[in-house]
Amino acid sequence: MSVAQLCQRLATQVSPRTAAGFAEVQRRLAAPLQVAVAGRIKSGKSTLVNALIGRRVAPTDVGECTRLVTRFQYGTVDRVEVVFTDGAKQVLPFAADGSIPAELGVDIKKVSHLEAYLTNAVLQGMTVIDTPGLGSLDAASVSRTEQLLGAAQEDTGSDNLDDTSRNAVAGAEAVLYVVTQGVRADDQQALAAFTAATASREAGPVNAIAVLNKADTIVAETVAGSGGDVWLAAKLLAEKQASTLKPRVADVLPVIGLIAESAESGGFTSADADALRRLADLDDDVLETMLISADLFTSWECDVPAGVRLRLLEKLDLYGIRRAVDAIRAEPAITAGALRRVLLDASGLDAVRRRLAVVFAARADGIKAAAALASVTALAHTSGDAGERQRVHDAIEVLLAKPEAHQLRLLEALTLVASGAVDMPEDLAEEVLRVGSNADLGAQLGLPGAARPELAAHALERAGWWRSFASFGATPAQSRVAHVVHRAYFLIWQQIRMP
């Protein structure tokens, strides 16, 4: 990769401390993309982490672990490492249920974070970072989160990789931000506080998406246009939240983390399917009454034991139970496996995964490279050597001038527009965000599902328009962005025309 080669070439031209930082940047470039899952306390972050990984390993109940940052990454042997602030490590066994122990048996004040290694295929391409919930963090939790995600910077004066240098390259490269029904006024600030790239760069549509979790708790009647449909209400509310959180996020998608976790991590069993079949045999009036509230569902007299109903409630909640019963009544012979699939579909997890693949996975190299350049710049800036800063700046400009660096230029242009650093008319800003935030050609062009000839013609037309705008109608800052967008459209046109 060109950025890795740049680091290697510059290592002999900078101080030992900066060179150590460059070595860390190279290591990060070779590692999977790091995605931080952030959000308020009780937003269901850890439940969603479990669903994404496909294993109930992140503790969801309040305990010591929920006050710590936990990195879930691929390993050949399952293990948990407690990493202390002095760099020491202690290996712990998983709890009997396969999750990280709720209590660690160590002085939590001396713990930096946890490293969980899992033989999990999902983690081969993405490291997932579970963070403490915002809103009720103690100061120590805040400090641990900031240090691991790269928000804290403190120069120790060490000749080696000091805190400033380490934090300049430690940040997560992408953010999955979890919200619930109400996006609070300070959610924007909270999202901005989570560095979605190295060197404390803020989250943006390049590398951040949000999910509206606990979508099943929405009262559909309160959402205009939903027609009383819970899932449609969730989609409409997610669209509204997207307009609130943009341009910091590429999209907001509804999801039901509890159902997703149960369906994907082995929590839903054949015994659960059998219990749901017995519920499906109840009279409509009885079942409808039971599904009014959790209290009625567990206390009503019926043939299904109260303990079994409580277990179903803990795994699926009322919405999931209703969806499962409807599926059984529509297809009485449905298998437990097929019923699990119905529940997974109802959770919205697949849509979240697809969006993760489009926004993160398909562009991981570009996101990591952009983050790496930010780290390189930050490392040079903190060196205190003006000559070193200039050499790094010149080398980056040479790199970005190369044709193969166009994706980095596009990500840079998108960040400039999204952050407001370059002021663009609203319609043009939306177009820049659309072109830069999508990997699918139809979505990039704003013509999803269109035929290739129509896409090609539109790409060529917009390429010409942006070239003209860059030359005649733009300010110098806008012109820089316009040239990048022109080339993006031209490359899309070339790609569509390829046999």
Side-chain angles (χ1 to χ4, degrees):
M1 182 183 288
S2 298
V3 180
Q5 293 169 356
L6 178 143
C7 290
Q8 189 170 358
R9 187 171 67 252
L10 285 175
T12 58
Q13 305 174 37
V14 297
S15 67
R17 185 180 69 177
T18 305
F22 286 178
E24 179 65 14
V25 170
Q26 288 179 273
R27 185 193 68 78
R28 285 285 301 273
L29 281 167
L33 185 73
Q34 296 197 108
V35 180
V37 181
R40 295 190 171 279
I41 190 169
K42 298 188 182 301
S43 62
K45 292 181 298 78
S46 297
T47 299
L48 188 60
V49 166
N50 290 334
L52 289 170
I53 295 174
R55 174 173 165 180
R56 199 175 191 281
V57 63
T60 55
D61 295 329
V62 175
E64 287 181 343
C65 290
T66 57
R67 294 163 54 196
L68 296 171
V69 174
T70 304
R71 288 163 43 93
F72 295 93
Q73 55 194 303
Y74 181 79
T76 54
V77 177
D78 287 2
R79 68 184 189 279
V80 181
E81 287 185 355
V82 180
V83 182
F84 295 92
T85 52
D86 63 1
K89 298 180 180 179
Q90 179 178 329
V91 179
L92 291 179
F94 283 99
D97 62 358
S99 66
I100 294 175
E103 304 299 325
L104 302 176
V106 299
D107 185 354
I108 194 171
K109 295 179 182 178
K110 297 180 180 180
V111 177
S112 166
H113 64 282
L114 303 179
E115 300 274 1
Y117 296 88
L118 302 171
T119 53
N120 185 291
V122 172
L123 298 176
Q124 287 182 303
M126 178 174 65
T127 293
V128 178
I129 304 174
D130 190 11
T131 64
L134 300 168
S136 67
L137 295 178
D138 55 75
S141 296
V142 172
S143 177
R144 285 188 290 264
T145 303
E146 287 180 340
Q147 288 187 26
L148 191 68
L149 296 183
Q153 295 193 352
E154 177 185 353
D155 193 345
T156 63
S158 168
D159 289 334
N160 298 314
L161 188 56
D162 60 14
D163 284 351
T164 301
S165 302
R166 185 177 296 107
N167 287 324
V169 296
E173 292 128 349
V175 167
L176 178 63
Y177 193 73
V178 183
V179 298
T180 48
Q181 292 183 43
V183 174
R184 302 185 189 180
D186 58 350
D187 268 313
Q188 284 273 19
Q189 297 172 346
L191 180 55
F194 273 82
T195 51
T198 54
S200 298
R201 291 174 63 203
E202 292 184 350
V206 174
N207 48 12
I209 65 173
V211 295
L212 168 58
N213 197 15
K214 304 183 180 181
D216 56 318
T217 63
I218 294 169
V219 180
E221 289 73 18
T222 64
V223 180
S226 69
D229 183 281
V230 172
W231 191 252
L232 178 56
K235 292 176 69 174
L236 292 171
L237 188 56
E239 291 174 3
K240 182 178 180 181
Q241 291 182 336
S243 65
T244 301
L245 291 176
K246 283 181 178 179
R248 293 204 182 278
V249 300
D251 206 354
V252 179
L253 299 172
V255 70
I256 306 172
L258 178 64
I259 297 177
E261 180 192 55
S262 298
E264 194 70 338
S265 65
F268 182 74
T269 65
S270 298
D272 296 327
D274 290 340
L276 288 165
R277 292 183 202 283
R278 294 169 66 185
L279 288 173
D281 289 335
L282 296 175
D283 291 339
D284 288 350
D285 292 344
V286 172
L287 187 59
E288 285 301 318
T289 301
M290 291 173 63
L291 291 176
I292 289 175
S293 70
D295 287 342
L296 282 172
F297 183 76
T298 53
S299 62
W300 198 268
E301 290 292 332
C302 76
D303 292 338
V304 182
V308 173
R309 282 178 275 158
L310 179 60
R311 187 182 72 225
L312 288 176
L313 199 61
E314 291 172 344
K315 293 182 179 183
L316 305 176
D317 217 332
L318 294 174
Y319 180 83
I321 292 169
R322 181 183 291 278
R323 290 295 297 267
V325 167
D326 288 346
I328 292 169
R329 287 179 168 179
E331 186 183 345
I334 190 171
T335 65
L339 191 56
R340 185 195 71 83
R341 183 69 227 181
V342 167
L343 290 167
L344 187 60
D345 290 343
S347 74
L349 181 66
D350 279 349
V352 173
R353 281 180 168 157
R354 286 194 298 270
R355 197 71 176 113
L356 282 171
V358 170
V359 176
F360 296 160
R363 306 160 71 203
D365 287 343
I367 293 173
K368 288 195 296 181
L373 284 182
S375 293
V376 169
T377 301
L379 288 163
H381 179 74
T382 58
S383 70
D385 185 330
E388 183 174 297
R389 285 199 299 270
Q390 191 61 48
R391 283 193 296 275
V392 171
H393 172 79
D394 293 344
I396 290 175
E397 287 301 310
V398 170
L399 170 63
L400 291 176
K402 296 179 179 179
E404 60 267 27
H406 170 71
Q407 187 182 18
L408 290 177
R409 280 291 193 196
L410 182 58
L411 293 177
E412 178 191 37
L414 178 59
T415 301
L416 289 171
V417 173
S419 65
V422 174
D423 185 32
M424 301 284 285
E426 186 176 351
D427 58 335
L428 298 186
E430 284 293 327
E431 188 170 353
V432 175
L433 296 179
R434 188 187 69 235
V435 172
S437 300
N438 293 282
D440 177 76
L441 292 179
Q444 281 183 300
L445 296 172
L447 298 171
R452 292 180 74 86
E454 183 182 357
L455 293 175
H458 183 70
L460 191 59
E461 186 271 327
R462 294 311 295 163
W465 189 93
W466 280 92
R467 181 174 57 186
S468 297
F469 176 65
S471 302
F472 303 111
T475 66
Q478 291 173 341
S479 180
R480 182 180 179 185
V481 171
H483 279 298
V484 174
V485 179
H486 153 69
R487 180 161 179 78
Y489 274 122
F490 184 74
L491 292 175
I492 292 172
W493 176 75
Q494 285 187 322
Q495 184 177 347
I496 293 172
R497 284 174 54 87
M498 288 177 62

